[in-house]
Amino acid sequence: RMVAAVLAGLSLLSLLTCGYLAWGSRRSGAGGAPGNPLGEEPAAGAPGSQPHIIFILADDQGFRDVGYHGSEIRTPTLDKLAAEGVKLENYYVQPMCTPSRSQLITGKYQIHTGLQHSIIRPTQPNCLPLDNVTLPQKLKEVGYSTHMVGKWHLGFYRRECMPTQRGFDSFFGSLLGSGDYYTHFKCDSPGICGYDLYENDNAAWDHDNGIYSTQMYTQKVQQILASHNPRKPIFLYIAYQAVHSPLQAPGRYFEHYRSINNINRRRYAAMLACLDEAINNVTVALRKYGYYENSIIIYSSDNGGQPMAGGSNWPLRGSKGTYWEGGIRAVGFVHSPLLKNKGSVCKELVHITDWFPTLITLAEGQIDEDIQLDGYDVWETISEGRRSPRVDILHNIDPIYTKAKNGSWAAGYGIWNTAIQSAIRVNHWKLLTGNPGYSDWVPPQAFSNTGPNRWHNERVSWSAGKTVWLFNITADPYERVDLSARHPDVVKQLLRRLSQFNKTAVPVRYPPKDPRSNPKLNGGVWGPWFKEDEKKKKSDKSKGGNKQKKNKNKKKAN
């Protein structure tokens, strides 16, 4: 009853706050030019049969942090785009940055790319494996112009890992997972700091003008759309830095949120308001330059929100970095004149890997038979309301993360070692093993004070030895009732499914730090440091050294 009352209150709050700003209002910030109404007539140019694809990926946006989910943060652009399109209300991503981005761009689970563990760190000689075909590469095959603006976070230790080498005609953005929104500097650890803004394969020093990244990226998108011929198909991947920490926003976006006492939540709200305005300006540009009528706009967060950094996933459990619903169930929608069932809600199961085959099929491309995809073509599910071809999701298997000290094969009925962090969804059932991560429910009132206050959080205590959880997500989306003891047969079935998936896993790629990655050795810039020539020289020297040793040994023997 208490939860129902809270949810009813949130719904009322959202109704009171959503009429404050007209959709086509004349706004300039967030990269927009003043006086561009959203309904402006498109420029001349007959669209072809291949749709323009605009994929917008937000960073760390919480499940509740959109107007139509009851947030106190105003998001009129997102609300209107979603209301006129299809809201994805059973949509899943991964709990962190690199995993979601790798699955989007390859259509494969982490266990099939070797990126099962954590994220790619700036100092690691690691990137999305080069033998994986990417979404932009497949779209280029069928005539698309491909452009990326924003955050990459799929590795850069060698030149072949860069976005322009992975299928994008152009790239403007950052290579790392986070950084200052104005200076574009990032410190990975004390003394290991560098500049992180790129244009194609070079540091974009010319753009170091102190412009807030959300606005700067939007301006770049407008330039790309203005210079491209709308008669030719374009794939535009816009991976905004917002609303990831550090929590920074231009001053004017705080105007509506002075009443939020919690400083992190207030800053987060301002950042999201700026992001919402930026997306309006992208949509204005699509109409202005003649793309809109033949476009598909997809909006997604890359993972759940982080309450300690202002994000809210209420009423879901957990946060970013966890396999509870709050870490992996995301805000998502599709907006397009090409949709058949506009203004609808899709409650069918959809996962971020599904965009790869869905978009390639829409683009009239071909998926090679030898590519073992984990994604499904879900366009008819989204556009026409048909049943999803997807019945399960492997959220992940991380063999390195074994922090559940009481996990064992015995707890997994001899089928699975429950010390391993893993999670799987099959139909209505969801199974978690190991240590799933921070598990509180963080209600809106937790953000009512001036600092983090966990007294408002709801917690469930369990025995120290617990390493298996089972939930019926359809009946219990907030993961309040663990059914593992009541349904051991279902637990065993899902453990067997995990075991089957694990047999197809490739080795984990998580190398140690490389001191050569220090930006001080690369002109103060984060960028590729691994050179194939150096490796060859070293191997040649070692071979030569071995020959000399052998000759010396022969002389001694003589």
Side-chain angles (χ1 to χ4, degrees), residues 144-187:
Y144 273 74
S145 177
T146 58
H147 303 274
M148 179 180 173
V149 177
K151 171 178 164 178
W152 175 238
H153 207 186
L154 289 174
F156 59 88
Y157 78 104
R158 51 193 291 182
R159 184 177 175 275
E160 292 84 355
C161 301
M162 297 284 282
T164 52
Q165 306 300 315
R166 304 310 300 267
F168 288 104
D169 293 326
S170 74
F171 167 64
F172 180 75
S174 63
L175 298 175
L176 277 63
S178 64
D180 192 282
Y181 280 73
Y182 293 96
T183 66
H184 318 298
F185 267 82
K186 166 70 175 180
C187 290

Side-chain angles (χ1 to χ4, degrees), residues 484-554:
S484 59
R486 201 180 307 175
H487 296 284
D489 290 342
V490 176
V491 171
K492 291 175 185 177
Q493 289 175 17
L494 269 62
L495 289 174
R496 291 190 189 98
R497 191 78 182 98
L498 274 176
S499 181
Q500 290 170 355
F501 269 119
N502 200 42
K503 290 175 183 176
T504 67
V506 300
V508 179
R509 299 167 59 99
Y510 198 74
K513 293 181 180 180
D514 186 336
R516 293 176 295 173
S517 63
N518 193 330
K520 290 180 181 178
L521 305 176
N522 194 26
V525 178
W526 288 104
W529 71 84
F530 183 91
K531 294 179 175 61
E532 198 68 38
D533 293 341
E534 289 182 6
K535 188 177 179 181
K536 288 181 180 177
K537 287 178 182 177
K538 286 183 179 180
S539 62
D540 290 342
K541 285 181 180 179
S542 63
K543 287 178 182 177
N546 289 335
K547 285 182 180 179
Q548 289 178 355
K549 287 179 182 178
K550 286 180 180 178
N551 291 335
K552 287 180 180 179
N553 291 335
K554 284 182 180 179

Side-chain angles (χ1 to χ4, degrees), residues 113 144 275 369 448:
T113 59
Y144 273 74
L275 176 64
E369 292 182 2
S448 62

